[in-house]
Amino acid sequence: MAAALYIAYSCPFAQRVWITRNYKGLQEKIKLVPINLQNRPAWYKEKLYPENKVPSMEHNGKVIGESLDLIKHVDSNFEGPSLLPNDPAKREFAEDLIAYAGTFTKTVYTSFKGDPVKEVGPVFDHLEQALHKFDDGPFFFGQFSLVDIAYVPFVERFQIFLSEVWKYDITAGRPKLAKWIEEINKIDAYKQTKTNPEELVEHYKARFLKNNLANVKVSK
Ligand SMILES: N[C@@H](CCC(=O)N[C@@H](CS)C(=O)NCC(=O)O)C(=O)O
């Protein structure tokens, strides 16, 4: 029986697993089940995934959550190209980078409520340096891997929002990151999952800037 992958089309965490499934050619083995996060069906929390978040996946009678665990699960338990490097030094660095994804996303999301232009430089520099480390291709490890997948949904959103609201170009002075974004946009498995930029800007403005604007009004 096919596995069921519960996602929301706009969710960057779910997008990680969606890209993994597409890239490994598992469209028939893993079926997408879209969930409306604004109106979640009661059965999702009660019968399937008590965390009540997306993504989750039902596979062989078990339900698994957490996007970073899920991409590893899909990579190790399904057919298709392997998405982690075999070389031990590269493998260790891949694990470090996957672990750093939480710091990266938290730093940038937190900065949206403060001053991103001052705050986001170091975490994007970290990615730029990581892309230099093995210097064997546009991706973190030459071949497309789970590390690219862990970051791309967030880099996609941060690039759009930082440019739109603060005119901050994440690729300025970061040639490897610029090339990475260019090359990753040639990968169909990713392209099919991209979010709608206009909807993203509206959604993030409401989510992150509402209080800033309210504060501006109060202080006038
Ligand atoms: N740590 C989780 C985060 C998943 C997550 O926060 N998903 C959001 C949608 S993008 C969600 O389901 N939010 C609903 C909620 O928190 O109630 C992962 O990596 O999978």
Side-chain angles (χ1 to χ4, degrees):
M1 209 177 88
L5 174 59
Y6 298 88
I7 65 160
Y9 289 115
S10 61
C11 172
F13 300 97
Q15 190 181 353
R16 287 171 166 164
V17 197
W18 185 11
I19 299 167
T20 308
R21 167 243 193 210
N22 291 353
Y23 194 81
K24 289 177 79 78
L26 298 167
Q27 287 79 352
E28 295 307 316
K29 300 258 160 79
I30 302 178
K31 290 289 174 192
L32 297 182
V33 184
I35 294 287
N36 179 352
L37 286 179
Q38 273 64 53
N39 186 13
R40 271 169 264 187
W43 58 260
Y44 186 68
K45 179 179 176 162
E46 285 160 14
K47 301 217 164 66
L48 199 98
Y49 190 45
E51 294 280 330
N52 206 17
K53 292 182 181 181
V54 290
S56 75
M57 192 170 87
E58 205 175 1
H59 180 214
N60 288 341
K62 279 213 286 204
V63 178
I64 311 158
E66 286 303 319
S67 57
L68 295 176
D69 295 338
L70 262 171
I71 58 176
K72 290 179 186 165
H73 177 86
V74 171
D75 191 37
S76 334
N77 291 281
F78 288 84
E79 65 204 35
S82 171
L83 288 170
L84 277 174
N86 284 325
D87 173 75
K90 287 187 174 180
R91 174 72 74 120
E92 193 186 338
F93 192 51
E95 294 292 347
D96 290 351
L97 281 172
I98 291 173
Y100 184 75
T103 307
F104 172 75
T105 56
K106 193 164 172 232
T107 304
V108 182
Y109 279 129
T110 307
S111 82
F112 291 160
K113 300 229 170 216
D115 186 351
V117 177
K118 290 209 182 106
E119 294 166 36
V120 301
V123 292
F124 284 105
D125 288 344
H126 190 91
L127 296 193
E128 178 71 13
Q129 281 151 19
L131 285 162
H132 274 278
K133 175 141 175 160
F134 289 104
D135 231 5
D136 54 0
F139 302 118
F140 285 95
F141 299 100
Q143 297 288 311
F144 189 62
S145 78
L146 292 185
V147 177
D148 303 293
I149 292 175
Y151 283 93
V152 71
F154 294 92
V155 172
E156 173 189 332
R157 284 163 179 75
F158 297 160
Q159 183 176 33
I160 295 168
F161 198 53
L162 288 166
S163 160
E164 172 75 24
V165 178
W166 292 276
K167 307 287 171 248
Y168 181 84
D169 176 5
I170 62 168
T171 65
R174 300 190 185 102
K176 291 272 181 190
L177 185 62
K179 184 75 182 151
W180 180 81
I181 293 172
E182 191 188 318
E183 291 299 319
I184 214 161
N185 271 287
K186 295 180 186 162
I187 294 188
D188 278 333
Y190 162 62
K191 275 201 291 196
Q192 296 162 12
T193 69
K194 284 179 76 169
T195 206
N196 176 307
E198 286 86 25
E199 281 175 19
L200 171 84
V201 168
E202 284 322 301
H203 172 205
Y204 273 18
K205 276 187 175 164
R207 186 167 152 204
F208 297 107
L209 305 185
K210 217 169 54 193
N211 291 339
N212 286 355
L213 296 177
N215 289 343
V216 171
K217 272 186 205 141
V218 169
S219 63
K220 264 191 184 167

